[in-house]
Amino acid sequence: MTRPAAKDTAIVIPARNEEARIGACLTALAGQGNAVVILVLNNTTDRTGSVAHDIAARHDLDLTVLERTLPSREGVGTARRIGCDHALQTMPALRYLLTTDADCIVAPDWIAQNLAHLKTADAVCGKVDLIAGEADILDGMDPHLAELEGIYRALVQDIYARQAPGSADIGYTHGEAAGASLGFTRAAYLAGGGFAPVRCGEDRRIVRALRAAGCRVRHADDVTVQASCRLIGRAAGGMSDALKARIGDLDYLIDDCLPPADWLVRQASGKTLGPWPPQVPARFRLHVRDLPQHIEILEKFRNSERLISASIASAATMPCSHLDTLLPGKGSANVPAGPGMRACPVPVDRLPSPTQTNASALPTVKGA
């Protein structure tokens, strides 16, 4: 009699009081592959665990439920780490670690698509959409403000793709690094130091660490999940807070991976950008209604780069190591100086006119 092959894929799902949604989450994973599902209950007081066991029995899911009580300073990051540690310690054949959230519904090919990408990449960041039946909540968003954030995000990603080390892959992709859909090889997860034991932001933190370590990170549009549109979430600073801000505030703070334009231009010009995605300190976060001026700066900078490239091509001996030397200007835009974000004067008077940028009107909903 042949023994069944040892399972090499673990799916880690943090959960806190998710009895209403965990059924749909686990059902979506049923029949997708020979994986172990590790559900980490974080300070849970409802029937999430018993509902999960019932669903697993019904759909023949290999489910492990870990119950933990965490201190207030910890949260979803700690829960993800606990689940990954359990997989590393109990699965000798482990090759792949995937993670999603308890209020998410993964696509029918989510496991297969993750594993296909992980044959040639070290980590995969999936695309997160909103659950179609709940998306009417977006009717409360101002479409113009949403479009501004989409345009600005596309410009920021374009600069990072061309200027930041190890980030060329983010151009023309969703660019997100959400815990709702992340996948790693075992070696890459360890190289990135694992998930940080924090309340929120562990997802982007590990992706930055992986890029800094030289790992191949891919933002895959064909790895998809749908996330809930609820406005009362489980993690401070998560998607629920972001949606609530965009629906209830006419001048909300945009995603905290989108830095001020003048800082970004200064870092790009000095070749000192760190890996994608950045994290903007709270005091330098941008308000959505300030975006037109920041969009103008980045569009002009992008056009100036094209002008510089044309000048280099036509006159290879022309000294052109500094943007200010080639394109002097009188005015500048600034953000206050401070730790982590230096003041960054950027010429804005004599650069070429901006070009049109195409971007989705739907902003990313993270970090509000």
Side-chain angles (χ1 to χ4, degrees), residues 260-263 284 286 294 333-338 341-345:
D262 46 3
W263 179 89
F284 297 121
L286 295 178
H294 291 268
N334 293 280
V335 293
M341 298 289 286
R342 298 194 299 272
C344 312

Side-chain angles (χ1 to χ4, degrees), residues 44-227:
T44 292
T45 58
D46 68 1
R47 297 180 58 254
T48 302
S50 59
V51 171
H53 281 299
D54 290 345
I55 294 294
R58 191 180 311 164
H59 294 286
D60 196 26
L61 274 177
D62 187 343
L63 175 70
T64 297
V65 177
L66 305 176
E67 296 191 43
R68 298 291 186 273
T69 300
L70 304 178
S72 59
R73 66 181 180 277
E74 299 179 11
V76 65
T78 305
R80 279 194 224 279
R81 187 180 185 96
I82 289 170
C84 291
D85 285 348
H86 181 83
L88 290 165
Q89 294 162 10
T90 62
M91 297 176 64
L94 182 68
R95 296 178 62 194
Y96 307 110
L97 281 161
L98 313 180
T99 187
T100 187
D101 290 329
D103 66 327
C104 290
I105 300 173
V106 303
D109 61 353
W110 184 74
I111 294 178
Q113 291 289 71
N114 267 294
L115 299 190
H117 283 290
L118 289 172
K119 293 185 184 302
T120 55
D122 299 307
V124 180
C125 304
K127 183 179 180 182
V128 183
D129 296 315
L130 299 178
I131 293 175
E134 302 177 14
D136 57 355
I137 196 169
L138 297 181
D139 294 344
M141 296 173 63
D142 184 322
H144 173 64
L145 298 183
E147 184 176 12
L148 285 177
E149 187 170 0
I151 290 171
Y152 192 64
R153 183 181 181 87
L155 286 166
V156 171
Q157 282 190 211
D158 176 63
I159 290 176
Y160 265 86
R162 290 182 291 105
Q163 302 286 354
S167 298
D169 62 285
I170 69 167
Y172 305 104
T173 73
H174 61 83
E176 257 297 354
S181 183
L182 291 178
F184 313 93
T185 64
R186 180 183 187 277
Y189 179 78
L190 294 173
F195 285 112
V198 294
R199 294 182 63 189
C200 190
E202 78 292 342
D203 41 14
R204 290 177 175 178
R205 187 178 300 199
I206 193 172
V207 170
R208 280 194 296 271
L210 288 168
R211 289 189 186 280
C215 294
R216 298 161 298 179
V217 178
R218 182 170 300 160
H219 296 267
D221 288 338
D222 59 354
V223 177
T224 61
V225 306
Q226 294 183 66

